[in-house]
Amino acid sequence: MARNDFAQPIMAGALAAVVGYASTFTLVLAALTAAGASPQQAGSGLFSVCIAIGLLNIAVSWRTKVPVSFAWTTPGVAFLLTVGEPAGGYPAVAGAFLFTAALIVLAGLIKPFARLVAAIPAPIANAMLAGMLLTLCLAPIKAVGEVPMLALPVLIAWAIGLRFARRYAVPIAVVVTGIALGLSTHLAPGALDGSWPSIMPVMPVFTLDAIVRIGLPMFIVTMASQNLPGLAVMQANGFVLKPAPLFIMTGIGSALTALFGGHSINLAAITAAICAGPEAHPDRTKRWPAPMAAGVVYLLLAPGANLAAAFIAAAPPILIQAVAGLALLSSLAAALTGALVQEEARLPAILTFVTTASGILILGVGAPFWGLVGGIALLLILRFGVKKPIESMGK
C-alpha cells in the first residue's frame, strides 16, 4: 500500500475506537460494580478488556489483511447490570466469565454451528446491518437540534469535504469535531484525581448460581447480539469470514481477561461497520489498517482511562455520535441497497430492518438477533413449496 493509502483507514479506525469506548465505558464500570466488583476491580476489568481488544485488533488484521474488528459485549454488560451480585461475590462472577469464555471456544469447535452462521442470506445480513446503523446515522441531525453551534460546523465541514475531497470528508469532520470538543469541554475540578487503573488479578470461584444466572445468559447474549451481527456486518461489506477461528480467539481472550475481572470480548458490530465500510477506504483490500489503528487507540485508552473517562464524560455525547453517524452513512446506503436488491427477499429484509431498528429486547437478547430470526423465518415461509419457473415448466 502507498503511504497516502493509510491516512483514511487509520482515521476511520481511530474514530471507531473512540466511539466504541466513549459510548459504553461508563456502562461497563457500572455493570462490573453492580456485580460486586470494587472500584479497583472494575477499573482492572476495563483495563484488561481494552488491552485484549487492542492486541486482537492489531494482530488479526495484520495477519489476515482483513478489517476484522473486536469489541466488548455491550449487550452483555447491559444484562450484567440487571443481575446483581451473586453468591460468592466477584470471584464467582469471574468464574461465570470463564464459563462463558469456555462456551464461546466450544462454539468455535462445533463445525455445524459455524456453517450455520456462514449461511445467513446476504439480503438479511444487509438489512440487519442497516437496522443497526439507522439510530447512529440519525445522530448528526439530532445533534444539530441539540447543540447547533457545535454540530453545524462539523456537518458543513463534512459536506464541503464530500464535494472537494471525498475520501477525506470523514477525517475532516473528525478534526473539526476534535476542535469543537477541545474548545467547549471543560473538566470539573478534581476530575483527574485518583490513581491510574492497574491490573488486579481475581481468583475465579465456580458456583452454580453464578454460572446459571450470569455465565450461560452472557454466552447467549454475546453470541446472538454481538458475534452473529458482527459476522453479518462483515458479510454485508463483502468479507466472508471463517467464524470458528474468530470464536476460539475471542473465547481465549475472554478467559484471560476474566482472570483480571474483565467480561467477554467478541466481534464488533457497529464499530466494525466503520472499519470495514467504504468510508475506511474505497478499495476493500486497503481497509485492514483501520482495526489496527483502533487497536492502538484502545491500548492508549487503557492506561489513560481516567483522563479519557473524564474528558468523554464532560463532552456532549451526541457530538461524538454525530461524527460516527456521518462516517456510517455510506455503509447505511450500501446495506440498504444490498438488502433490497433481490425482489423475492425484499419483504423479509424489510422485516429484519424494522425489527433491528426497533431496539426491542426479548429474553435479554437484543433486536439484531430477533431481526435476523424474523427475516430468515419469513424468507423460508415465502420460499416453502415454491418452484422456479424453469423447474415447473420442465415438470
Side-chain angles (χ1 to χ4, degrees), residues 228-272:
L228 297 185
L231 289 170
V233 167
M234 296 299 293
Q235 180 181 334
N237 282 289
F239 300 96
V240 179
L241 305 178
K242 293 182 179 179
L246 299 174
F247 292 163
I248 293 172
M249 283 188 289
T250 56
I252 293 173
S254 297
L256 294 174
T257 61
L259 299 176
F260 302 99
H263 56 288
S264 299
I265 57 179
N266 43 244
L267 291 171
I270 291 181
T271 51

Side-chain angles (χ1 to χ4, degrees), residues 186-194 305-311 313-314:
H186 304 285
L187 297 179
L192 302 180
D193 291 349
N306 281 0
L307 174 61
F311 183 79

Side-chain angles (χ1 to χ4, degrees), residues 203-227:
M203 182 61 67
V205 173
F206 297 96
T207 67
L208 183 61
D209 176 55
I211 287 174
V212 172
R213 287 175 55 196
I214 297 175
L216 186 58
M218 181 78 81
F219 165 73
I220 295 172
V221 169
T222 299
M223 295 301 294
S225 298
Q226 284 284 166
N227 280 335

Side-chain angles (χ1 to χ4, degrees), residues 13 16 20 22 32 42 70 145 148 154 158 174 205 236 248 296 351 379 390:
L32 296 181
F70 300 89
V154 175
W158 172 78
V174 171
V205 173
I248 293 172
V296 171
L351 177 62
L379 187 63
I390 295 179

